[in-house]
Amino acid sequence: IKAQFNEELNAASSKEELERIRVSFLGKKGLVTEELKNLRNLDAEAKKTAGMQVNILKAECEKAIVEYQKLMEEKEYQKEIESAERYDYSIPSEKPVGTLHPITIVQRQIENIFITMGFIIEDGLEIQTEFNNFEGVNIPKNHPARDMQDTYYLENGQVLKTHTSAAQNTIMRKYGAPKPGEPLKVLFPGRCFRNENIDASHENTFFQLEGMMIGDDISISNLIYFMKVLLTEVFEREVKVRLRPGFFPFVEPGFELDINCAICGGVGCPTCKQSGWLELLPCGMIHPNVLRLGGIDPDKYTGFAFGLGLTRLAMMKYNIKDIRLFNSGNLKQLKQFTL
Ligand code: FA5
């Protein structure tokens, strides 16, 4: 039986054949099982020796089948590996894998314009102290202006910055008073957070881009000049703007620079709330209190600041009708923008 078993086993080339062999030797009516059954016909002495032999045979057959099965699985696995598709990870890909987010594109474009005009780029923290976000820019506690910006407070009393102006104080302290004829010119873009009701033109997370110029003879005409350069370069055409008086505690005088809504051409649409204008660029001359808090003498220096709604600007530039697209993660939409 053992010789026959070995012969058949060695010829087996599939799992099915292996199973057939198992059944024909070890199954209910298998050869080995039959031998076991036959033991009952023997006398006690013979039963003992034969029983031992048959049980050894049974154990050997079982073991051989298990081992042979393992061997077959091993062979199959090797075959699979050899025929598997191979990748060469070192070959350069044909297409660039990612694209810049439209806000990043516009941010870099504006940064480049201002760098050529001698501005430094600074990074403001997203988590700020209440002082930096409010008191440092002349918004004292209980001032109604705090209600204009619905603030996210952290458990430790710090805030998610509601505007890029929160970096003004830190930047003034970092660079100190400018030298004569060398005004301090800084651009500081950043993500801002407000607990807003979200609609087509309001997000709770959006980008602003702030600029500040402080020197011994900075005036409103400098401010208007830089704003015009900025908007002409970004839109690559003359854009219609309007200047209205605007109130911000950190500027005096303060202005609201609005841009003609390019989506509806000025006739009114949901994005501009039917007004034909989009509030885009609040600005003004830095309030003396803000300079003083930043360690700069307001009797010797003046400056302007502007806080551009970068997300809204990107909407204008790319004719994006709904602000919610920016944070949507919709790659099909977001990938189509180029400089
Ligand atoms: C400010 O935040 C001032 N810090 C700007 C400033 C800086 C004024 C320096 C003067 C001098 P305001 O709250 O208006 O201002 O916001 C500025 C711009 O951010 C708005 O014009 C708008 O374009 C954009 N903005 C404000 N809230 C949102 C919002 N929820 N979603 C998208 N953009 C917003």
Side-chain angles (χ1 to χ4, degrees):
I1 291 179
K2 186 72 198 287
Q4 191 190 342
F5 174 82
N6 283 343
E7 196 180 314
E8 287 190 29
L9 190 68
N10 289 333
S13 62
S14 68
K15 275 189 183 164
E16 290 73 30
E17 275 177 58
L18 198 66
E19 179 58 11
R20 186 192 56 73
I21 295 166
R22 194 190 64 76
V23 174
S24 70
F25 285 87
L26 302 167
K28 266 188 191 162
K29 290 181 181 160
L31 293 178
V32 178
T33 319
E34 288 300 326
E35 285 304 311
L36 278 170
K37 282 184 199 158
N38 289 340
L39 289 175
R40 62 173 167 239
N41 304 326
L42 301 176
D43 61 44
E45 196 52 34
K47 200 188 260 177
K48 207 173 166 192
T49 12
M52 209 153 69
Q53 282 174 343
V54 182
N55 273 319
I56 290 173
L57 174 68
K58 185 178 176 229
E60 279 177 352
C61 290
E62 278 169 353
K63 197 174 160 218
I65 282 184
V66 170
E67 278 172 5
Y68 201 81
Q69 187 163 354
K70 263 195 204 157
L71 197 76
M72 263 165 65
E73 277 167 8
E74 188 86 0
K75 271 189 192 159
E76 242 168 61
Y77 180 61
Q78 284 300 334
K79 240 197 235 163
E80 221 172 274
I81 291 179
E82 276 158 30
S83 63
E85 231 180 302
R86 277 163 206 282
Y87 298 100
D88 182 350
Y89 297 104
S90 65
I91 294 174
S93 64
E94 283 170 21
K95 282 189 227 148
V97 187
T99 52
L100 292 178
H101 192 278
I103 290 178
T104 311
I105 296 174
V106 182
Q107 181 184 325
R108 294 206 181 158
Q109 188 188 10
I110 298 173
E111 283 176 1
N112 288 336
I113 298 165
F114 277 87
I115 287 169
T116 60
M117 297 192 290
F119 278 71
I120 306 163
I121 312 292
E122 273 286 340
D123 218 0
L125 298 173
E126 289 183 351
I127 294 176
Q128 289 280 2
T129 58
E130 248 192 300
F131 176 86
N132 280 342
N133 201 78
F134 296 119
E135 284 93 338
V137 283
N138 203 31
I139 312 176
K141 280 215 162 70
N142 306 320
H143 191 287
R146 289 210 185 186
D147 302 335
M148 282 160 57
Q149 303 177 356
D150 255 328
T151 311
Y152 289 113
Y153 283 87
L154 303 184
E155 278 176 4
N156 67 3
Q158 291 190 306
V159 299
L160 292 183
K161 100 177 147 199
T162 59
H163 56 172
T164 40
S165 306
Q168 282 192 9
N169 188 271
T170 314
I171 293 172
M172 286 181 203
R173 294 197 167 276
K174 176 174 173 185
Y175 290 98
K179 294 194 188 89
E182 276 181 47
L184 173 62
K185 295 191 271 187
V186 196
L187 198 70
F188 38 112
R191 186 172 9 209
C192 304
F193 308 88
R194 292 184 196 178
N195 192 4
E196 298 258 20
N197 288 327
I198 294 170
D199 60 27
S201 56
H202 290 82
E203 256 289 4
N204 55 17
T205 303
F206 57 96
F207 283 80
Q208 287 185 350
L209 182 141
E210 185 134 342
M212 192 163 74
M213 182 170 179
I214 302 169
D216 39 27
D217 62 346
I218 304 301
S219 67
I220 295 177
S221 52
N222 296 111
L223 167 62
I224 293 170
Y225 168 78
F226 281 102
M227 296 309 96
K228 271 193 174 161
V229 173
L230 165 66
L231 295 172
T232 310
E233 292 271 342
V234 170
F235 290 103
E236 296 160 33
R237 61 180 167 88
E238 283 290 317
V239 287
K240 266 197 210 166
V241 296
R242 74 174 183 189
L243 208 62
R244 299 178 278 128
F247 170 72
F248 300 94
F250 31 93
V251 283
E252 182 56 44
F255 308 104
E256 283 279 8
L257 193 148
D258 297 342
I259 175 170
N260 191 248
C261 180
I263 290 168
C264 61
V267 293
C269 69
T271 307
C272 61
K273 297 225 168 76
Q274 311 301 335
S275 72
W277 294 94
L278 272 174
E279 171 187 304
L280 183 69
L281 222 170
C283 51
M285 299 304 291
I286 302 174
H287 196 288
N289 287 351
V290 177
L291 289 172
R292 200 175 294 116
L293 286 162
I296 295 176
D297 184 351
D299 294 328
K300 290 191 188 148
Y301 301 98
T302 51
F304 70 71
F306 62 90
L308 174 81
L310 187 60
T311 306
R312 296 241 179 104
L313 184 83
M315 287 175 80
M316 292 276 89
K317 185 172 163 73
Y318 294 116
N319 204 1
I320 294 169
K321 293 182 176 54
D322 195 318
I323 198 168
R324 287 166 283 205
L325 167 77
F326 292 106
N327 294 341
S328 70
N330 184 337
L331 291 180
K332 206 170 146 202
Q333 298 264 0
L334 291 171
K335 270 184 171 175
Q336 62 187 315
F337 302 103
T338 51
L339 198 60

